[in-house]
Amino acid sequence: MSSEDDVGGEAPGGSFWEAGNYRRTVKRVDDGHRLCNDLISCFQERAKIEKNYAQQLTDWSHKWRTAVEKGPQYGTLEKTWHAFLTAADKLSEIHLEVRNHLAGEDADKIKAWQKEAYHKQMIGGFKETKEAEDGFRKAQKPWVKKLKDVETSKKNYHLARKDEKTAQTRENHAKADSSISQEQLHKLQERVEKCAQEAEKCKDQYEKMLEELNRYNPRYMEDMEQVFEGCQEAECKRLCFFKEMFLDLHQHLNISTNESFHALYRDLYQGIVAADDQEDLKWWRNTHGPGMAMNWPQFEEWTLETQRPISKKAKSSKSAEDVMLTSIVPTRDGVSQTPPQTRRGGGKEDVSEWSDDDTPKKCLDANGHEEDVKVPGVQVRALYDYTGQEADELSFKAGEELTKISEEDEQGWCKGRLCTGQVGLYPANYVKRVGS
């Protein structure tokens, strides 16, 4: 086996200085390239986790925002609940920013450094790996050759000593055996002397080869150190770069230093402490309790004019829909009051039963159909904003005055006329009589 084959063999365990053990340092170059890929893959997976968490926050916020809006919670405490959902949306945005840093900026930075530090060859492998391999091989080749000579001379010396020992044993046995002639004994003695001379000769050669190896050791160590330091310098660059990248990753993952993160929880805290139970109770009192406005029954004189019918609005073919609220106006005590919901045609809203005296008066038109009774123009004032949902409905603002020109029908609608002259229907419980 040639010295090159010996050097190129698999690196056994043991000292760096032993033949072929430099390969562990050479392999570190390839490992550095692989570690760059591992670092990218590791934090791209973390980026996916950040993205999934951000999406889960958004989905959670959307689901519960709808549930809270449709649920029974009201007032300032409802706003507090919504503050948590808004905070989740903002936190989702922050985690998406983290994801973008990890999957974009950080990954690109690692790839750029990797491309600059490791140069692929046409024949495979990296230029840096080949340079390290060639450098170590060149530095170690002369030493390995001398080591080979030492091993050969050592083997020869030990074999000569073994032959000498065998010759001495035969001579001793021959002296004890009376059947051995003097001539045979003399030959055995000559054999012992010859083996001793050969052993001394091999010893001298062994010592000489060993001395040459020891004289070359400092040069060998110097050359190997030089190549090794080149590898150390390259590895130092990789270690420093990785440390720099880990600091960048820490900065991007540490959202506690993000001002938006702190602002998010400051706003959430303010939203919580802003909840006011007394304000909520007052709102309920004025919206659904004794504080609500009421059109109390009043005496109305019968006249022929009140019996003149108006055509009742045709029922919609569509299913009943709630009236769209356009705004909430404050009552005198400063608490927001929500206008009552109104349904037209087939709704599930509970309606009080009318007595015979309360039922709006009806009369027959020329065709025999019942129609609502017209009343003399009565001035009324809007309590809430209302936006007409169909073409024959009026739209008005809270505080605006209009003229009521028909009594309320069984569905809770009246016909009125705006100051502009427009005539149409409106929900009766959205207005009150002027002066009442």
mmCIF file of all heavy atoms in Angstrom, residues 16 46 134 295:
data_model
loop_
_atom_site.group_PDB
_atom_site.id
_atom_site.type_symbol
_atom_site.label_atom_id
_atom_site.label_comp_id
_atom_site.label_asym_id
_atom_site.label_seq_id
_atom_site.Cartn_x
_atom_site.Cartn_y
_atom_site.Cartn_z
ATOM 1 N N PHE A 16 -4.715 14.054 16.442
ATOM 2 C CA PHE A 16 -4.758 14.778 15.172
ATOM 3 C C PHE A 16 -3.512 14.507 14.343
ATOM 4 O O PHE A 16 -3.563 14.475 13.108
ATOM 5 C CB PHE A 16 -4.891 16.274 15.472
ATOM 6 C CG PHE A 16 -4.570 17.168 14.306
ATOM 7 C CD1 PHE A 16 -5.463 17.361 13.274
ATOM 8 C CD2 PHE A 16 -3.335 17.823 14.247
ATOM 9 C CE1 PHE A 16 -5.149 18.188 12.205
ATOM 10 C CE2 PHE A 16 -3.008 18.649 13.188
ATOM 11 C CZ PHE A 16 -3.926 18.841 12.159
ATOM 12 N N ARG A 46 -40.100 27.538 12.193
ATOM 13 C CA ARG A 46 -40.614 28.468 13.214
ATOM 14 C C ARG A 46 -41.476 29.542 12.555
ATOM 15 O O ARG A 46 -42.490 29.979 13.118
ATOM 16 C CB ARG A 46 -39.439 29.103 13.961
ATOM 17 C CG ARG A 46 -39.863 30.167 14.993
ATOM 18 C CD ARG A 46 -40.792 29.603 16.064
ATOM 19 N NE ARG A 46 -41.256 30.641 16.969
ATOM 20 C CZ ARG A 46 -40.648 30.966 18.108
ATOM 21 N NH1 ARG A 46 -39.539 30.331 18.466
ATOM 22 N NH2 ARG A 46 -41.126 31.903 18.882
ATOM 23 N N ASP A 134 -6.025 19.032 0.299
ATOM 24 C CA ASP A 134 -4.727 19.070 -0.372
ATOM 25 C C ASP A 134 -3.641 19.618 0.542
ATOM 26 O O ASP A 134 -2.500 19.149 0.543
ATOM 27 C CB ASP A 134 -4.816 19.928 -1.634
ATOM 28 C CG ASP A 134 -5.672 19.268 -2.714
ATOM 29 O OD1 ASP A 134 -5.954 18.059 -2.581
ATOM 30 O OD2 ASP A 134 -6.069 19.968 -3.667
ATOM 31 N N ASN A 295 -95.585 56.302 23.971
ATOM 32 C CA ASN A 295 -96.703 57.037 23.396
ATOM 33 C C ASN A 295 -97.972 56.635 24.149
ATOM 34 O O ASN A 295 -98.651 55.669 23.799
ATOM 35 C CB ASN A 295 -96.853 56.715 21.907
ATOM 36 C CG ASN A 295 -95.710 57.259 21.090
ATOM 37 O OD1 ASN A 295 -95.151 58.302 21.422
ATOM 38 N ND2 ASN A 295 -95.337 56.540 20.025
#
